[in-house]
Amino acid sequence: MCDIWKDQSNKNFLTSNEIQKLPSSLTDINITGGEPFLHPNLIEIIKSTKSTCPRSQIIINTNGFQSKNIAQQSAKLLSIDPKIGIRVSLDGYGHLHSQIRGTKNAWSKAIQTLKLLQNSDIKNLGVSFTIMEKNYCDLPKIFKFCQKNNLQLSLTLASSSSIYFGLNKIDLRPKDTNKLNYVIKKIISTRLKSTNFKEWLRAYFDHELVKYNRINHRPLPCYAGKNSFYLDNQANIYVCHLHNWLLGNLNESNFDSIWTKTKTYQEYVRQCQDCWMVCSFKPSLKYHLPQVIFSILKLKLFYET
């Protein structure tokens, strides 16, 4: 889980003025926290983000605890960006989710949020699932739940980060990769049978995720600091959200001058094997799409036979 909430030394919030200093060319923006829907000026933040980066696809991650608040704010967000997406975190099915989250009725609250959002005009709605030793056996139930309710499902492995997730999170990962592979195989097979190419990409990602859990080696290189970056609540810009590779601060320098410093870290990025996440996979497609398509075709052949 993300431990960023444990840092009580800094309670700064990003401001609209800081958002407006971002480059207009951004195409994918993931807004996370903490809990974004607790931000006192979330509506203004989204408004500034969309105004500054008009071509961006904005996704907001939420724990889904404040169902009514999330539904009310989402209605306002739709007037700013009709294509805005929301991902609700589920870390297990039923009681296990509440147990992992350490919050009574966490499951019922998250499900209530999903139901309210499904009854709204939010079209880009889904579930985020962080795979750990404690919960991976619940994946089939979560996948079936998402299928039944027409929800997207994105997977990630628990990962360590000195500036975001916290340390020693890798220790939470599944110990038996063969069992993890057995659990995910049906999900991959179902995705490959879809007529939606995006589901094929997810099948490839899930397949490689199992392999990554075993050998800790990315199938595609990372392009953090070239195609992506992490912006924290103090307006600091990092190469990514896993490492303390600080590039600069938007309140001290403009983005262009900050971005020139990425060259310093490119060798570190090329050698890094510390994650296999959707946020680092998607930029890789720009450079390796033929390779990924070929792998998908092999997967389809394998699963059909």
Side-chain angles (χ1 to χ4, degrees):
M1 295 303 101
C2 165
D3 280 349
I4 200 168
W5 61 274
K6 292 182 179 179
D7 182 8
Q8 297 298 312
S9 62
N10 182 0
K11 297 184 179 180
N12 289 353
F13 287 123
L14 276 175
T15 67
S16 297
N17 289 336
E18 291 163 340
I19 293 293
Q20 290 166 7
K21 296 176 183 178
L22 292 172
S24 61
S25 58
L26 295 184
T27 56
D28 294 274
I29 298 176
N30 190 300
I31 295 181
T32 182
E35 172 52 48
F37 285 96
L38 290 178
H39 195 299
N41 297 309
L42 179 61
I43 302 300
E44 291 304 314
I45 289 291
I46 299 300
K47 189 178 293 184
S48 294
T49 302
K50 198 62 183 177
S51 174
T52 303
C53 313
R55 295 190 296 120
S56 63
Q57 167 64 71
I58 301 173
I59 302 288
I60 302 177
N61 291 329
T62 176
N63 59 28
F65 287 179
Q66 294 194 327
S67 302
K68 290 183 180 179
N69 174 44
I70 293 170
Q72 290 170 356
Q73 292 204 63
S74 296
K76 297 176 183 177
L77 293 174
L78 280 169
S79 65
I80 301 168
D81 181 7
K83 295 183 179 180
I84 198 162
I86 295 179
R87 299 291 180 268
V88 178
S89 294
L90 293 179
D91 304 308
Y93 194 88
H95 175 69
L96 180 59
H97 173 68
S98 300
Q99 182 185 4
I100 290 175
R101 285 276 156 174
T103 302
K104 187 178 181 180
N105 299 323
W107 170 262
S108 60
K109 292 174 182 176
I111 299 306
Q112 176 66 11
T113 296
L114 285 167
K115 287 180 179 178
L116 289 174
L117 293 176
Q118 280 183 308
N119 291 328
S120 70
D121 290 326
I122 297 283
K123 304 300 181 187
N124 190 348
L125 183 60
V127 165
S128 297
F129 187 98
T130 300
I131 298 174
M132 300 178 286
E133 172 69 23
K134 194 170 186 177
N135 68 358
Y136 75 91
C137 288
D138 270 14
L139 253 178
K141 293 180 183 177
I142 294 295
F143 183 65
K144 188 175 181 180
F145 169 81
C146 290
Q147 278 190 303
K148 181 180 178 180
N149 293 280
N150 196 28
L151 298 167
Q152 299 181 52
L153 174 63
S154 60
L155 306 178
T156 190
L157 280 171
S159 298
S160 301
S161 167
S162 60
I163 60 173
Y164 190 74
F165 298 120
L167 301 176
N168 304 317
K169 300 297 181 177
I170 291 177
D171 296 341
L172 299 174
R173 291 177 179 174
K175 304 298 187 291
D176 191 328
T177 302
N178 290 330
K179 288 183 179 179
L180 176 61
N181 182 54
Y182 177 80
V183 166
I184 292 186
K185 276 178 69 175
K186 188 173 181 180
I187 295 175
I188 295 172
S189 177
T190 303
R191 291 197 194 280
L192 290 172
K193 292 175 183 176
S194 171
T195 56
N196 187 337
F197 182 66
K198 193 173 182 179
E199 283 296 291
W200 294 4
L201 290 174
R202 287 185 176 130
Y204 167 82
F205 176 86
D206 296 347
H207 173 78
E208 295 298 335
L209 182 145
V210 176
K211 190 187 300 183
Y212 175 81
N213 188 62
R214 183 175 65 251
I215 64 175
N216 199 46
H217 191 278
R218 294 174 55 92
L220 302 175
C222 181
Y223 292 93
K226 183 175 182 179
N227 286 61
S228 62
F229 60 88
Y230 168 57
L231 173 67
D232 76 0
N233 66 320
Q234 301 176 70
N236 291 315
I237 291 183
Y238 294 86
V239 172
C240 71
H241 62 309
L242 263 67
H243 295 285
N244 192 16
W245 297 337
L246 179 63
L247 298 173
N249 187 285
L250 285 175
N251 291 319
E252 299 171 2
S253 307
N254 63 49
F255 183 85
D256 289 340
S257 63
I258 291 173
W259 198 240
T260 60
K261 299 176 183 178
T262 59
K263 297 177 183 178
T264 307
Y265 295 97
Q266 284 310 300
E267 185 60 33
Y268 295 109
V269 174
R270 279 193 291 270
Q271 296 179 16
C272 184
Q273 301 294 334
D274 290 343
C275 84
W276 173 243
M277 296 183 177
V278 171
C279 60
S280 63
F281 164 56
K282 193 170 182 180
S284 299
L285 289 174
K286 179 180 179 180
Y287 306 98
H288 303 278
L289 186 57
Q291 175 186 338
V292 171
I293 291 176
F294 181 69
S295 296
I296 289 172
L297 292 175
K298 287 200 299 182
L299 275 178
K300 285 179 70 67
L301 181 62
F302 173 79
Y303 274 87
E304 285 175 2
T305 55

